Amino acid sequence: MATATTGYDVIVIGVGGMGSAAAYHLAARGQRVLGLEKFTPAHDRGSSHGGSRIIRQSYFEDPAYVPLLLRSYELWAQLAADADQEVFRLTGGLYLGPPDCLTVAGSLRASREWSLPHEVWEAAEIRRRFPNFTPADGDIAIYESNGGFARPELTVRAHIDLALRAGATLSFGEEVLSWAETASGVTVTTARTTYHADQLVICPGAWAPQLLADFGIPITIERQVLYWFAPTGGTAAFEDDPIYIAEDDSATQIYGFPAIDGPAGGAKTAFFRKGIVCTPDTIDRVVHPHEVEEMRDRVAALLPAMAGPCVHTATCMYSNTPDEHFVIARHPGGTRVTIACGFSGHGFKFVPVVGEILADLVIEATTRHPIALFDPKRLVTSENSIA
């Protein structure tokens, strides 16, 4: 194996959702960037695929995310303009269930705390506005006009193209075997060579437990399944629906999208956080008949016309921290390594702003964005101390 000494300012490991955004923002700010990716551009082996991802601002997980979302929306618009691609679309968002459930109460809390435009609808109003939906009589909904979806594959490709245009070097099909921080910089070893740079950004996705083993950050990988059903009567009646997140009395959440992939594409839906622990090597990529039937039964209770044939399925992976908040930080034990991982199934809407944050941390060692919530020190126990 040859050894190559290179003149890069920063190496980015992982050129998926977060890594491609980081590579672009770094290159656009004059950094000499090398991006290393195990798979092909915008691949379907990790977490940044499946045709659509929900974007929203009324954030039930924690109102602390809202400032990042407001900036992310600005960057989504800028990305769409710079790439001349429809990387996102606003459809409106419907977050419904019992009034005291997390989906509804959390969305309402964030909306009120940050004065976000929203409406509160009773079940009858939900049915009147969107006849495909049949909520229970006691359910209510938070409607957010700024809800919508992003196209993950288009987003990754757009950031890749813009990074290349800004002068980044991106290498695909090159798996990272190891990395190390030294007194003079960082080294990254692949099957081809060893690279040298001043700084390192690691965006490992579901490969975090392997690439970040020395950090002691507890991350669990879960298999998730996506489903596309052909509505009875066709997709036309579903084309103008909002994205939705619905919670039932058992606190089970499902989410879904309007029919955005044409007459043969069906409409996409899935359970949220109903996964099986796995690794990238052991994930079962086969979607089984009993899984399809369980999903059909659940979504049909809310959208009866969705009980048609399943036309497509896909699997992806969540990388979950114990508290389901992200990890974004400079390595607490060094000065040249920055990490972004543990996005816990709700990170893709933040891709543009995470790219900006990572560029800030590399270039300025700080960021104006509020990221204290994502400090990995919160996850440290006596069993998993950060070096």
Side-chain angles (χ1 to χ4, degrees):
M1 180 177 66
T3 299
T5 301
T6 62
Y8 298 111
D9 295 317
V10 57
I11 296 171
V12 178
I13 298 177
V15 190
M18 303 304 175
S20 63
Y24 164 59
H25 280 277
L26 284 161
R29 287 158 70 171
Q31 297 290 294
R32 296 166 297 174
V33 176
L34 171 65
L36 298 171
E37 169 58 52
K38 179 179 180 179
F39 299 107
T40 55
H43 62 82
D44 65 355
R45 312 310 293 168
S47 305
S48 298
H49 62 279
S52 55
R53 288 288 185 278
I54 285 176
I55 60 173
R56 53 193 166 91
Q57 296 178 349
S58 299
Y59 219 60
F60 63 76
E61 287 86 346
D62 194 316
Y65 284 86
V66 174
L68 295 177
L69 288 163
L70 297 176
R71 176 57 178 159
S72 199
Y73 267 54
E74 293 174 350
L75 292 171
W76 279 114
Q78 187 64 55
L79 179 64
D82 291 345
D84 194 23
Q85 296 270 1
E86 191 191 39
V87 293
F88 79 104
R89 184 189 306 172
L90 298 184
T91 62
L94 196 63
Y95 319 127
L96 65 161
D100 59 350
C101 74
L102 174 63
T103 304
V104 173
S107 298
L108 184 59
R109 176 190 172 198
S111 297
R112 287 174 171 170
E113 185 168 323
W114 290 98
S115 300
L116 301 173
H118 69 283
E119 299 176 50
V120 181
W121 296 347
E122 303 290 338
E125 184 67 8
I126 299 169
R127 299 186 199 108
R128 186 183 74 81
R129 299 286 190 108
F130 297 111
N132 288 325
F133 290 82
T134 58
D137 287 340
D139 286 352
I140 67 171
I142 308 304
Y143 176 75
E144 176 188 25
S145 59
N146 283 330
F149 65 89
R151 290 283 200 180
E153 292 90 344
L154 277 181
T155 298
V156 173
R157 288 188 178 277
H159 276 132
I160 286 172
D161 290 345
L162 291 171
L164 291 170
R165 192 185 307 172
T169 299
L170 305 179
S171 179
F172 296 93
E174 186 167 4
E175 182 179 4
V176 170
L177 303 179
S178 64
W179 62 270
E181 183 173 358
T182 70
S184 60
V186 296
T187 62
V188 176
T189 300
T190 73
R192 299 179 190 174
T193 190
T194 295
Y195 299 98
H196 300 265
D198 295 331
Q199 296 204 57
L200 177 64
V201 174
I202 307 176
C203 300
W207 287 262
Q210 297 97 301
L211 280 172
L212 300 177
D214 292 343
F215 283 65
I217 300 170
I219 293 179
T220 301
I221 310 305
E222 286 186 351
R223 169 186 179 268
Q224 303 290 331
V225 183
L226 314 173
Y227 306 83
W228 286 257
F229 289 98
T232 57
T235 58
F238 283 76
E239 291 176 355
D240 295 324
D241 274 353
I243 59 95
Y244 61 88
I245 303 172
E247 186 172 340
D248 63 15
D249 290 332
S250 69
T252 300
Q253 293 169 301
I254 65 170
Y255 65 93
F257 301 81
I260 59 177
D261 297 318
K268 179 183 168 184
T269 189
F271 286 104
F272 187 46
R273 304 199 185 285
K274 187 177 176 63
I276 299 170
V277 174
C278 67
T279 71
D281 294 326
T282 64
I283 182 174
D284 183 1
R285 298 285 182 181
V286 176
V287 179
H288 302 279
H290 74 273
E291 295 178 299
V292 174
E293 291 309 308
E294 182 182 22
M295 186 75 253
R296 178 186 284 112
D297 290 345
R298 176 63 183 87
V299 73
L302 177 66
L303 295 150
M306 286 281 283
C310 184
V311 296
H312 180 55
T313 59
T315 58
C316 71
M317 290 178 283
Y318 285 1
S319 303
N320 297 321
T321 62
D323 60 8
E324 296 173 357
H325 294 308
F326 310 157
V327 172
I328 305 174
R330 289 176 69 85
H331 190 318
T335 59
R336 298 179 181 274
V337 180
T338 304
I339 57 174
C341 61
F343 288 95
S344 303
H346 63 112
F348 198 86
K349 61 187 70 65
F350 297 90
V351 157
V353 74
V354 169
E356 183 173 70
I357 290 167
L358 293 173
D360 289 345
L361 294 177
V362 168
I363 297 169
E364 302 168 17
T366 188
T367 180
R368 64 183 173 85
H369 295 295
I371 62 169
L373 182 62
F374 311 140
D375 190 332
K377 292 177 183 177
R378 75 186 192 277
L379 303 173
V380 174
T381 67
S382 58
E383 289 81 22
N384 62 336
S385 61
I386 294 177

